[in-house]
Amino acid sequence: MRFNGNKVVLVTGGAGFLGSHLCGKLLELGHEVLCLDNFYSSSKSNIEELLDNPRFELIRHDVTQPIHLEVNEIYNLACPASPVYYQKDPVQTTKTSVLGAINMLDLAVRTGSKILQASTSEIYGDPEVSPQSETYWGRVNPIGIRSCYDEGKRASETLFFDYKRQHQLEIKVARIFNTYGPRMHPNDGRVVSNFIVQALRGEDLTVYGDGSQTRSFCFVDDLVDGLIQFMESNESICGPINLGNPQEITMLELTREVLQLSGSSSKVKFLPLPEDDPKQRKPDISEANLSLNWAPSVSLAQGLEKTIQYFRTALNF
């Protein structure tokens, strides 16, 4: 099925933070976009500006249930990525990752579509090596409170590669590292949105542990470009491929950046480190450089400024 010579693209989780940006970019490229979402952790406001586009269609559906569509490409992003949401219903989180992958893979087999899995840096757990390359198998607690997400995504990767071997399916597996930007939910518990919202409200910035743990933050526009370049790459390039920004920063350094850019006089409050919280995140993106000619271009300061401005408007500050 084609639309004016362009592709029909399904984005599961398309009304989420990352999915909504991806849907918008695919429309800019001239494709017809089917946005599938059950709105468990997403918002219709994220895609409100897309609803009047004749090449955009919203489908309210849960990926744990099969669906019959005619598409050329599938981006499987459906799964809550915030600990607040995925720990709220851990059984459903695992079902979304595993059953969702099976249903989307079956759809890809039936339609002959190529399919991209939005995997995660949580594949690596609390890593013993840094930076994390795709050859590292990870250090994950299989029975902890984060396991529903970590192990669900690991099982999804297994399914993708088994479908490739068994059905000769064209797959792409992207391991996404911490991503931030406009349309993040203000209460989703992720550190960038937490710090920005707390700073704008004049509240203490909550740092878990001593603040020495690190993350590497990629602005959403860079990440979306990476996903699309990966999908459009040669069939032999299937991954897994890390997508993220290798610029590493401690949580204390991040508080200083947010406070300076927001002009806030908030203080920092230290709380106990959550169970199984990784101490370090830094992607090795040499494979993305080599295979996709991709690297992030938006600096942390530039991205934070855009994200702070978004929250100022969204929260009326």
Side-chain angles (χ1 to χ4, degrees):
M1 182 177 178
R2 297 276 174 176
F3 182 88
N4 290 344
N6 291 314
K7 291 174 285 192
V8 179
V9 184
L10 172 64
V11 181
T12 73
F17 156 57
L18 181 55
S20 63
H21 285 276
L22 177 60
C23 286
K25 186 66 174 181
L26 291 168
L27 288 170
E28 285 180 21
L29 294 172
H31 304 307
E32 182 173 3
V33 176
L34 306 182
C35 168
L36 186 151
D37 210 297
N38 69 351
F39 294 99
Y40 172 71
S41 61
S42 55
S43 171
K44 199 170 183 179
S45 63
N46 287 341
I47 53 168
E48 195 167 8
E49 64 185 34
L50 307 180
L51 293 173
D52 291 334
N53 190 314
R55 289 182 285 105
F56 180 81
E57 182 177 347
L58 173 61
I59 303 168
R60 185 182 288 268
H61 184 81
D62 192 314
V63 292
T64 62
Q65 302 299 318
I67 191 168
H68 293 279
L69 300 166
E70 298 301 325
V71 297
N72 303 117
E73 292 179 351
I74 302 168
Y75 289 84
N76 186 35
L77 274 59
C79 188
S82 157
V84 170
Y85 286 103
Y86 70 64
Q87 291 175 18
K88 183 179 179 181
D89 191 346
V91 172
Q92 186 63 25
T93 296
T94 303
K95 286 181 177 180
T96 300
S97 287
V98 177
L99 296 179
I102 290 171
N103 287 329
M104 291 305 109
L105 287 162
D106 284 342
L107 177 61
V109 169
R110 185 182 67 79
T111 59
S113 308
K114 56 180 171 179
I115 179 169
L116 183 146
Q117 167 67 3
S119 191
T120 172
S121 62
E122 298 300 324
I123 288 287
Y124 301 119
D126 190 2
E128 300 159 301
V129 300
S130 185
Q132 293 86 55
S133 72
E134 295 87 349
T135 57
Y136 177 56
W137 288 356
R139 179 172 173 262
V140 175
N141 177 1
I143 58 171
I145 61 172
R146 300 170 66 100
S147 307
C148 58
Y149 184 71
D150 301 1
E151 295 289 26
K153 289 290 191 176
R154 287 164 70 95
S156 299
E157 287 199 10
T158 299
L159 285 162
F160 265 68
F161 279 90
D162 282 339
Y163 267 75
K164 174 180 170 60
R165 286 183 283 260
Q166 189 167 329
H167 297 284
Q168 292 74 54
L169 191 63
E170 185 175 355
I171 67 164
K172 312 284 182 180
V173 175
R175 290 179 177 168
I176 298 171
F177 281 68
N178 296 72
T179 305
Y180 71 101
R183 300 185 204 148
M184 295 184 81
H185 194 288
N187 301 315
D188 74 356
R190 285 186 271 196
V191 65
V192 171
S193 52
N194 264 9
F195 284 175
I196 291 174
V197 171
Q198 289 166 342
L200 293 177
R201 288 176 174 164
E203 300 170 351
D204 291 342
L205 274 60
T206 50
V207 172
Y208 295 93
D210 62 5
S212 63
Q213 68 270 35
T214 68
R215 296 293 184 270
S216 303
F217 298 102
C218 186
F219 190 63
V220 63
D221 291 354
D222 283 333
L223 198 284
V224 164
D225 287 344
L227 291 175
I228 293 173
Q229 285 175 234
F230 193 7
M231 181 66 95
E232 294 179 350
S233 65
N234 188 282
E235 183 175 353
S236 63
I237 302 171
C238 61
I241 290 182
N242 290 336
L243 294 178
N245 193 321
Q247 179 188 353
E248 194 173 19
I249 186 172
T250 70
M251 295 303 93
L252 278 180
E253 290 169 337
L254 182 62
T255 63
R256 290 193 284 270
E257 286 271 359
V258 169
L259 290 172
Q260 179 182 347
L261 291 169
S262 65
S264 173
S265 58
S266 293
K267 306 299 181 185
V268 174
K269 179 172 68 175
F270 294 91
L271 296 175
L273 197 66
E275 181 183 340
D276 294 331
D277 191 58
K279 300 179 191 66
Q280 195 170 36
R281 274 286 181 272
K282 181 179 181 180
D284 178 342
I285 62 167
S286 54
E287 184 60 37
N289 292 159
L290 179 65
S291 298
L292 309 179
N293 193 30
W294 177 87
S297 61
V298 179
S299 72
L300 182 61
Q302 291 171 324
L304 286 175
E305 284 180 351
K306 293 180 181 180
T307 310
I308 289 168
Q309 184 55 50
Y310 165 78
F311 279 113
R312 282 194 195 279
T313 303
L315 301 178
N316 296 315
F317 284 111

